[in-house]
């Protein structure tokens, strides 16, 4: 059974695009946490935040991600999981990520992350100052769960996916 490959990182770091490519490349199942949270709550993320508030979003995210990690562990093809940027801030998820061997941080610069995330539908990417302070708050949390860190600055999604495979292969001889 293959260990799940789990992508973490801030909003706008490319987790979904890279996760999809990786899953194709490695012939693994792909799970994207955010759409599954939307499905569970029956509405898009901005509405979840607006109607129910962030704490309810985090509760649903905790349930979805915990379920995904359990499901992925049983998958015979192996899984690639793209987490939402705030999943690491949920204690129960953090505890699990610390023990997962293939957690990869997509390490994006805050200015580039803002350029990617601004003007979209992310409730926590509405104000540049708040975005920056969240980034600063979370930086060390991402690093403390990551077993691999990929600097995404000069790479497109395909380049990041290739780099992840290369890094894990170098260290473990697998993938
Ligand atoms: C969030 C990141 C988003 C989404 C939600 C909250 C965060 O996911 O889960 O808007 O707290 O960083 P992406 O990282 O995929 O944008």
């Amino acid at each position: 059974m293959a260990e799940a490959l789990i992508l973490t990182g801030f909003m706008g770091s490319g987790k979904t695009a890279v996760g999809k490519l990786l899953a194709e490349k490695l012939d693994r199942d792909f799970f994207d946490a955010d759409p599954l949270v939307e499905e569970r709550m029956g509405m898009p993320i901005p509405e979840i935040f607006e109607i129910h508030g962030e704490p309810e979003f985090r509760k649903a995210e905790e349930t979805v991600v915990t379920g995904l990690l359990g499901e992925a562990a049983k998958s015979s093809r192996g899984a690639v999981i793209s987490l939402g940027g705030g999943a690491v801030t949920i204690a129960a998820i953090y505890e699990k990520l610390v023990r997962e061997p293939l957690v990869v941080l997509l390490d994006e610069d805050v200015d580039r992350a803002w350029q990617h995330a601004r003007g979209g539908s992310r409730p926590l990417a509405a104000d540049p100052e708040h975005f920056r302070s969240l980034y600063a708050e979370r930086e060390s949390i991402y690093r403390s769960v990551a077993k691999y860190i990929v600097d995404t600055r000069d790479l497109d999604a395909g380049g990041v996916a290739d780099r992840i495979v290369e890094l894990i292969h170098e260290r473990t001889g697998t993938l």
Side-chain angles (χ1 to χ4, degrees):
M1 215 152 41
E3 307 284 1
L5 223 159
I6 302 165
L7 303 184
T8 187
F10 203 55
M11 292 172 270
S13 61
K15 299 176 296 290
T16 297
V18 171
K20 272 187 198 152
L21 286 174
L22 264 179
E24 272 168 32
K25 204 175 158 67
L26 301 170
D27 196 27
R28 285 176 169 233
D29 296 321
F30 176 59
F31 300 98
D32 195 9
D34 281 345
L36 295 171
V37 174
E38 292 181 320
E39 213 174 276
R40 184 180 169 83
M41 298 288 288
M43 62 186 80
I45 288 175
E47 276 179 51
I48 305 176
F49 271 69
E50 208 182 302
I51 297 172
H52 299 285
E54 184 174 345
E56 285 302 313
F57 171 78
R58 297 297 173 202
K59 274 191 207 160
E61 187 174 34
E62 176 176 336
T63 306
V64 163
V65 173
T66 306
L68 272 182
L69 293 173
E71 212 177 302
K74 289 183 236 143
S75 143
S76 55
R77 294 168 78 204
V80 175
I81 301 175
S82 294
L83 297 175
V88 287
T89 65
I90 299 169
I93 297 176
Y94 178 89
E95 295 307 327
K96 290 190 189 302
L97 293 178
V98 166
R99 290 193 295 270
E100 288 284 340
L102 301 182
V103 181
V104 181
L105 167 60
L106 303 193
D107 188 17
E108 182 58 289
D109 166 75
V110 68
D111 293 319
R112 285 178 36 121
W114 173 248
Q115 290 312 319
H116 298 153
R118 64 182 297 185
S121 60
R122 293 175 176 94
L124 300 179
D127 169 67
E129 288 320 308
H130 181 238
F131 189 83
R132 273 176 194 284
S133 71
L134 263 187
Y135 183 98
E137 241 170 63
R138 291 188 187 161
E139 227 179 342
S140 64
I141 311 180
Y142 293 128
R143 284 173 198 282
S144 66
V145 297
K147 315 305 181 298
Y148 299 88
I149 299 178
V150 176
D151 183 341
T152 58
R153 265 154 280 229
D154 297 316
L155 299 171
D156 61 10
V160 174
D162 290 342
R163 186 71 193 122
I164 291 172
V165 174
E166 212 174 80
L167 276 178
I168 298 179
H169 189 76
E170 271 167 21
R171 196 182 308 165
T172 67
T174 60
L175 286 196

